[in-house]
C-alpha cells in the first residue's frame, strides 16, 4: 500500500486518537494463511495508564477491548484481497466500509484478559477468522460458469485440486521469478492465459476460494501422504498439479499447463471442485505467516 493511502486510512480510523493511547497499549500477532486466522494479543501497561489493582481491573479490561479494535484495524486493511487490491484499497474506492471492517474485528474470538506475573501488564488474545473476511467480500448471488472445452480429455474423478507452487516461479511477462503469495481471491490461468478459476465461480460463501498449506502438507507418513487439513480441503484423491508460472501485480495468481487445465475442465465433476472451493495451494513456508506488532 502506498504511503498516501496508509496515511488516509489511518486518519479515517484514528481521527481523535492521541499519543497517550499508543504509549499504554500494544499489539503483536500474525496473519496465518495456513490456519486462515488472524491471531493477536493486545496488552496494556497498567503503570503508564495509572491503573491500580484490583480496583482498576475493570477499567483496564475496557481499555484493552477498545485498544484491540483500534490496533487490529491497520492489519485488516493490509489483507491482500487479490493481486492488485487490499482491504484499504476497497475502502478508498467505496467498495467496502470502515464499519464493515470493524464488524469483522468484533467477530473475533477472545481469551479473557490475564495479568502478567509481575502484575505490571494485562493482556488479552484474539482470533479472527479469515473465512469471515472472504464471505463479507463475496457479493455475487449466482456463480459464474467455469470454462468448458469442446474436446474433453479422459480424466479421473478427483476429490480436490492441489497446485504445488512452493518454489520461486517465473513471473508472466517478466524476466524474473518470485514466490507465490497468499490472498483471499487468487486466480488460476492456463498457459494460454485462459481464465480457469476466479472468485465469482465460487458457489458458496461458507468457504474460501483456496486453502494454503506448506510442502510438508503433501509429504506425510500415511497412505495419502496428506496432512489432515489438506484432506479436509481436497479429499484423499486430489489431482496434483505443478504450477508453471505466476501472474499479477503481486504474484498471487497461478498459471498451470494447458494439459492440467484440461483435466479439470473436461468433466462436470472436476469443474465442481472449483465451484466448491476444493482447492489447495502449496506455497513456501515463508509466505504463510505475516507477523505484525505496534
Amino acid at each position: 500500500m502506498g504511503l498516501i493511502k496508509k496515511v488516509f486510512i489511518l486518519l479515517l480510523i484514528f481521527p481523535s486518537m492521541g499519543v497517550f493511547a499508543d504509549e499504554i497499549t500494544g499489539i503483536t500477532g500474525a496473519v496465518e494463511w495456513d490456519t486462515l486466522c488472524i491471531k493477536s494479543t493486545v496488552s496494556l501497561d497498567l503503570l503508564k495508564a495509572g491503573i491500580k489493582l484490583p480496583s482498576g481491573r475493570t477499567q483496564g479490561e475496557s481499555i484493552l477491548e477498545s485498544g484491540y479494535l483500534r490496533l487490529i484495524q491497520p492489519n485488516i486493511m493490509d489483507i491482500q484481497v487479490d493481486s492488485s487490491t487490499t482491504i484499504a484499497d476497497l475502502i478508498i474506492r467505496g467498495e467496502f466500509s470502515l464499519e464493515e471492517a470493524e464488524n469483522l474485528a468484533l467477530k473475533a474470538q477472545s481469551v479473557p484478559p490475564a495479568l502478567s506475573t509481575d502484575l505490571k501488564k494485562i493482556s488479552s488474545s484474539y482470533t479472527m477468522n479469515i473465512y469471515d473476511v472472504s464471505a463479507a467480500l463475496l457479493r455475487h448471488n449466482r456463480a459464474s460458469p467455469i470454462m468448458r472445452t469442446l474436446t474433453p480429455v479422459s480424466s479421473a474423478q478427483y476429490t480436490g485440486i492441489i497446485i504445488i507452487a512452493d518454489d520461486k516461479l517465473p513471473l508472466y511477462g517478466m524476466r524474473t521469478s518470485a514466490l507465490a503469495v497468499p490472498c483471499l481471491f487468487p486466480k488460476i490461468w492456463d498457459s494460454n492465459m485462459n481464465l480457469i478459476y476466479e472468485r465469482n465461480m465460487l458457489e458458496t460463501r461458507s468457504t474460501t476460494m483456496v486453502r494454503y498449506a506448506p510442502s510438508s502438507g503433501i509429504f506425510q507418513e500415511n497412505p495419502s501422504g496428506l496432512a489432515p487439513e489438506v484432506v479436509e480441503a481436497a479429499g484423499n484423491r486430489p489431482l496434483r498439479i505443478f504450477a508453471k508460472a505466476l501472474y499479477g501485480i503481486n504474484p498471487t495468481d497461478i498459471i498451470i499447463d494447458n494439459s492440467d487445465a484440461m483435466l479439470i475442465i473436461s468433466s462436470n465433476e472436476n469443474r465442481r471442485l472449483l465451484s466448491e472451493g476444493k482447492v489447495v495451494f502449496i506455497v513456501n513456508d515463508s509466505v504463510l505467516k505475516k507477523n505484525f506488532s505496534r
Side-chain angles (χ1 to χ4, degrees), residues 46 105 112 131 152 164 174 177 179 190 224 236 247 259 271:
L46 296 170
Y131 280 115
I164 302 166
M174 302 179 70
S177 60
L179 292 173
D190 71 11
S224 69
N236 284 303
Y247 183 61
S259 60
R271 284 193 295 271

Side-chain angles (χ1 to χ4, degrees), residues 134 138 140-148 158-161 185-186 188 196-210 233 264-265 267-280:
S134 174
L138 288 171
H140 62 277
N141 295 316
R142 186 175 181 178
S144 299
I146 294 168
M147 180 180 176
R148 295 169 179 259
Y158 300 99
T159 59
I161 300 167
F185 304 124
I188 300 175
I196 303 299
Y197 189 38
E198 57 95 14
R199 66 169 142 179
N200 290 318
M201 297 174 184
L202 197 64
E203 288 186 348
T204 175
R205 289 178 171 81
S206 63
T207 185
T208 55
M209 270 187 72
V210 305
I264 298 172
I265 66 174
S267 72
N268 289 327
E269 292 79 9
N270 291 341
R271 284 193 295 271
R272 181 162 293 278
L273 299 177
L274 297 177
S275 62
E276 294 178 352
K278 294 183 177 180
V279 181
V280 177

Side-chain angles (χ1 to χ4, degrees), residues 101-270:
E102 183 173 298
N103 287 337
L104 292 172
L106 289 171
K107 289 183 178 181
Q109 295 180 335
S110 62
V111 174
L115 290 166
S116 61
T117 53
D118 60 8
L119 304 182
K120 292 182 179 180
K121 289 186 177 182
I122 187 171
S123 61
S124 186
S125 297
Y126 297 83
T127 300
M128 179 179 158
N129 200 326
I130 292 179
Y131 280 115
D132 294 330
V133 185
S134 174
L137 295 175
L138 288 171
R139 304 295 174 88
H140 62 277
N141 295 316
R142 186 175 181 178
S144 299
I146 294 168
M147 180 180 176
R148 295 169 179 259
T149 177
L150 295 176
T151 56
V153 299
S154 178
S155 175
Q157 187 171 340
Y158 300 99
T159 59
I161 300 167
I162 293 176
I163 301 181
I164 302 166
D166 59 333
D167 290 326
K168 283 189 174 182
L169 291 165
L171 291 174
Y172 181 81
M174 302 179 70
R175 295 180 180 178
T176 186
S177 60
L179 292 173
V181 297
C183 73
L184 292 176
F185 304 124
K187 294 177 180 177
I188 300 175
W189 307 80
D190 71 11
S191 45
N192 286 331
M193 297 310 293
N194 295 307
L195 183 58
I196 303 299
Y197 189 38
E198 57 95 14
R199 66 169 142 179
N200 290 318
M201 297 174 184
L202 197 64
E203 288 186 348
T204 175
R205 289 178 171 81
S206 63
T207 185
T208 55
M209 270 187 72
V210 305
R211 293 289 299 268
Y212 291 94
S215 57
S216 60
I218 56 173
F219 293 109
Q220 299 288 301
E221 294 182 359
N222 58 46
S224 69
L226 304 176
E229 58 271 20
V230 176
V231 173
E232 180 184 0
N236 284 303
R237 293 177 291 99
L239 170 63
R240 304 185 193 211
I241 297 172
F242 283 95
K244 301 289 289 185
L246 303 176
Y247 183 61
I249 295 175
N250 287 289
T252 60
D253 299 353
I254 287 180
I255 299 173
I256 61 175
D257 191 81
N258 290 340
S259 60
D260 292 320
M262 288 294 289
L263 295 176
I264 298 172
I265 66 174
S266 287
S267 72
N268 289 327
E269 292 79 9
N270 291 341

